[in-house]
Amino acid sequence: VDFLGEDFYDNGGDGSAVTSLSSLISANNAVQGLDGSTYSRWNSRGVSVRGTAAASVSFTAAPTSFASAGIQNMRLAWLNCSEGTEKPDALFTTHTIYSYYEAALQQQERFNDARVADAGFQQLLFKSAPIFPDPQCPSGIMYFLNLGALKWNVMAGRDFAARPFIEDSESNAMVSKIYVCSQLCIENRFLNNKVIGITA
């Protein structure tokens, strides 16, 4: 499961792994049979102005410092993957960037219990979408995901199907192979987005 979680973000070019979010949420590349250079409307828009040519779309935060432009870059990335009532359902990022975002929010402290002082947030949202810190997320990236446009397709009988336990030939243990055959697919790639290169 951990390896699959890593592959969801970046499969390192492994052709036998699921297509990663880094490839799916992109522009001017061919992914799963559609070429972004041919079908320009299909591309993710990054933090570029809408209508930017596919070859010139940038996903790099500008400037990269979250302290100076983090919220601004988040607003632009959000708007670039919103169409009518369609908008991101969730944001995924690193624990570090999650902390940058929390630090950027102005806290309105109210103490409901005289015995306990709580000056933190239990859940962070951005424009109604929850933000999840994920240890598998690559450094410096924030993903804006429309979960209705992402599909995880699994072959019947290969959804983490475990084989019978057998004795391991190299240790005094019983082992079982677990099989998963799946693919991460995307519809309407422009409804998903990412910001990369985020720093403090």
Side-chain angles (χ1 to χ4, degrees), residues 76-174:
L76 182 53
W78 175 280
L79 289 172
N80 276 349
C81 62
S82 299
E83 293 282 336
T85 60
E86 292 285 347
K87 60 184 189 299
D89 299 301
L91 282 65
F92 285 80
T93 191
T94 66
H95 284 82
T96 301
I97 296 172
Y98 184 88
S99 296
Y100 296 160
Y101 179 64
E102 183 172 16
L105 300 177
Q106 180 177 353
Q107 297 186 16
Q108 300 296 323
E109 298 175 356
R110 183 176 65 185
F111 302 109
N112 295 325
D113 188 328
R115 297 165 298 172
V116 179
D118 186 352
F121 298 108
Q122 292 186 21
Q123 174 67 59
L124 299 184
L125 303 175
F126 182 74
K127 294 182 179 282
S128 78
I131 303 175
F132 297 100
D134 188 344
Q136 303 280 28
C137 188
S139 177
I141 300 180
M142 179 177 279
Y143 288 97
F144 296 71
L145 303 182
N146 182 311
L147 302 178
L150 290 167
K151 307 292 181 193
W152 185 39
N153 298 314
V154 184
M155 181 184 289
R158 289 292 185 261
D159 187 0
F160 294 96
R163 304 293 295 166
F165 279 92
I166 59 172
E167 186 175 353
D168 183 20
S169 61
E170 299 179 7
S171 67
N172 188 19
M174 301 293 285

Side-chain angles (χ1 to χ4, degrees), residues 32-51:
Q32 297 177 344
L34 285 176
D35 191 339
S37 63
T38 303
Y39 302 99
S40 58
R41 169 131 169 77
W42 191 59
N43 292 298
S44 298
R45 299 181 182 119
V47 289
S48 299
V49 175
R50 282 187 181 226

Side-chain angles (χ1 to χ4, degrees), residues 62-73 104 199-200:
T64 60
S65 169
F66 195 94
S68 62
I71 303 295
Q72 173 186 326
N73 287 322
T199 64

